[in-house]
Amino acid sequence: MVGSPVCSCLPKGSKEFFLHLNRLEILDLSYNRLSGELPLSLPSSNIRTVDLSSNHFFGAIPSSFFQQASNLTSFNVSNNTFTGGNLAPGLGKCSKLQVFHAGHNNLSRLLLEDIYNATKLEEIALPLNSLHGAISDKIVNLTNLAILDLSFNHFGREFPLNLGKLSKLKLVTLDFNNL
């Protein structure tokens, strides 16, 4: 929904402030005491960077959140209290996304196949969650991936053999899983 508030915790009148920021490119609200659920969509389709880390946001990331995110290159929601739900459904539609951080939350679902469609991704950092299941061989689609941190989760089954085909990988952290 265009024009939805950033979160339910903003002071009275500030929600409307975001409605008029249609040229906004960087939204950094990190290290505050903001809480609430995320809005249904971003306030502007021009946004390149969203940093909502180290707050008290909760609930699931709405499936419609990325509908207007065609220019998004960096998305950081680490150190919040997001729970369950699917991990960033719609993320694969972000064709320019390079950085995705959602570590230190309470995410507990499978890693959605949708993430493997965000082929510009260079960094994925999802440590200290309760994500589980297998890491798909479709990870080979992420040819620009340089950093992969999935530590302290519950990923299981076999180690993704196609990981070795990613020639730009510099750091892989999969410790404290069930591989």
Side-chain angles (χ1 to χ4, degrees), residues 25 41 57 72 76 86 115 129 159 173 177:
E25 293 184 11
S41 65
F57 290 111
L72 191 65
N76 186 352
N86 290 326
I115 198 168
N129 280 294
F159 186 80
T173 307
N177 276 287

Side-chain angles (χ1 to χ4, degrees), residues 76-124:
N76 186 352
V77 291
S78 297
N79 298 315
N80 280 286
T81 54
F82 289 111
T83 57
N86 290 326
L87 175 61
L91 192 71
K93 294 177 184 172
C94 299
S95 61
K96 296 180 182 178
L97 189 67
Q98 297 171 347
V99 176
F100 176 51
H101 292 188
H104 302 261
N105 280 290
N106 296 316
L107 300 169
S108 60
R109 299 286 180 148
L110 299 170
L111 193 59
L112 291 180
E113 296 282 321
D114 192 36
I115 198 168
Y116 304 117
N117 296 326
T119 57
K120 299 279 188 200
L121 273 171
E122 296 174 10
E123 291 182 28
I124 299 174

Side-chain angles (χ1 to χ4, degrees), residues 111 124-128 131 135 139 145-155 159-160 163 169-179:
L111 193 59
I124 299 174
L126 306 172
L128 288 160
L131 298 169
I135 301 169
I139 199 164
L145 197 62
I147 297 172
L148 177 65
D149 184 354
L150 301 176
S151 59
F152 292 90
N153 277 289
H154 301 287
F155 288 108
F159 186 80
L163 203 59
L169 270 177
K170 295 178 183 176
L171 174 68
V172 175
T173 307
L174 298 171
D175 53 320
F176 292 93
N177 276 287
N178 298 316
L179 297 172

Side-chain angles (χ1 to χ4, degrees), residues 50-77:
V50 172
D51 189 345
L52 303 174
S53 63
S54 299
N55 281 292
H56 302 284
F57 290 111
F58 58 83
I61 299 170
S63 60
S64 59
F65 189 77
F66 298 103
Q67 281 180 341
Q68 293 185 15
S70 58
N71 291 309
L72 191 65
T73 59
S74 178
F75 184 67
N76 186 352
V77 291

Side-chain angles (χ1 to χ4, degrees), residues 9-51:
C9 59
L10 293 175
K12 187 175 182 179
S14 61
K15 295 175 188 177
E16 291 78 21
F17 173 77
F18 288 97
L19 297 177
H20 304 290
L21 297 177
N22 50 5
R23 292 184 182 216
L24 186 69
E25 293 184 11
I26 298 172
L27 178 62
D28 186 346
L29 298 173
S30 61
Y31 293 93
N32 283 285
R33 292 182 178 169
L34 301 174
S35 65
E37 294 181 331
L38 289 183
L40 295 178
S41 65
L42 292 169
S44 168
S45 61
N46 293 321
I47 290 183
R48 292 181 290 118
T49 300
V50 172
D51 189 345

